[in-house]
């Protein structure tokens, strides 16, 4: 898909859907949506519910805290924490402008931002913050992941 000037749109409607439907995802999705709203506003979008120029649909299809004990004791991907999503940028008529598959996984072997000794809440916020940052960078690079 060719890069598109995603920053050229002023009014955006944000739709975040939960395809996981677990207690963890139900508690985490409002935090994800709130941080994403803030990020979108910080890069110049007006968030609207009616008459948008662009619609951002984010479908979270994996969101799991993993198991800190397994990450600590075994590592190598055991007990990994994960947030995976698909973000689709569309016109109000439904034409796909750009798409991003992204997210973050903690497997316990990270040298930086290591979740091994973090609380579950800190791990969740790390997953959310990284994913929101990915979407913001994708927009700033006009739909390019390079």
């Amino acid at each position: 898909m060719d890069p598109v000037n995603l920053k050229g749109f002023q009014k955006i409607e944000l739709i975040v859907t939960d395809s996981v439907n677990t207690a963890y995802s139900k508690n985490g999705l409002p935090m994800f949506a709130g941080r994403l709203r803030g990020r979108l506003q910080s890069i110049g979008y007006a968030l609207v519910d009616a008459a948008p120029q662009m619609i951002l649909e984010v479908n979270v299809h994996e969101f799991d805290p993993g198991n800190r004990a397994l990450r600590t004791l075994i590592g190598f991907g055991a007990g990994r924490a994960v947030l995976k999503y698909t973000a689709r940028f569309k016109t109000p008529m439904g034409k796909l402008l750009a798409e991003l598959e992204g997210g973050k996984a903690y497997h316990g072997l990270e040298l930086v931002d290591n979740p091994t000794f973090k609380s579950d809440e800190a791990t969740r916020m790390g997953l959310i913050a990284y994913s929101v940052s990915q979407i913001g960078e994708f927009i700033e690079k006009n739909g390019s992941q390079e």
Side-chain angles (χ1 to χ4, degrees):
M1 191 168 282
D2 292 330
V4 62
N5 184 8
L6 297 173
K7 295 181 289 184
F9 298 91
Q10 304 282 308
K11 298 177 189 172
I12 188 169
E13 180 180 0
L14 176 63
I15 301 168
V16 177
T17 56
D18 180 0
S19 291
V20 183
N21 291 314
T22 63
Y24 190 77
S25 69
K26 288 176 184 167
N27 288 333
L29 262 287
M31 289 181 261
F32 177 86
R35 293 217 36 175
L36 184 53
R37 288 176 92 66
R39 177 75 165 145
L40 293 170
Q41 289 171 330
S42 76
I43 55 179
Y45 288 110
L47 289 146
V48 298
D49 293 327
Q53 295 172 327
M54 182 171 62
I55 299 169
L56 171 54
E57 297 176 350
V58 181
N59 178 23
V60 176
H61 47 84
E62 273 188 81
F63 199 8
D64 190 328
N67 184 301
R68 187 172 30 167
L70 290 177
R71 281 193 304 272
T72 303
L73 298 173
I74 299 171
F76 303 104
R80 82 183 177 120
V82 63
L83 187 157
K84 297 286 182 188
Y85 65 86
T86 302
R88 290 186 180 91
F89 298 83
K90 297 180 175 182
T91 67
M93 301 302 288
K95 179 185 176 204
L96 185 64
L97 299 169
E99 183 174 76
L100 171 65
E101 294 279 339
K104 172 83 175 152
Y106 287 123
H107 48 72
L109 296 176
E110 292 85 357
L111 297 176
V112 177
D113 193 25
N114 190 314
T116 302
F117 302 109
K118 287 183 177 182
S119 69
D120 287 343
E121 186 61 24
T123 299
R124 175 173 24 210
M125 290 311 296
L127 294 169
I128 290 169
Y130 186 87
S131 298
V132 166
S133 177
Q134 273 183 331
I135 294 170
E137 288 175 19
F138 184 77
I139 291 169
E140 290 172 341
K141 293 178 181 176
N142 289 323
S144 173
Q145 294 180 356
E146 297 171 2

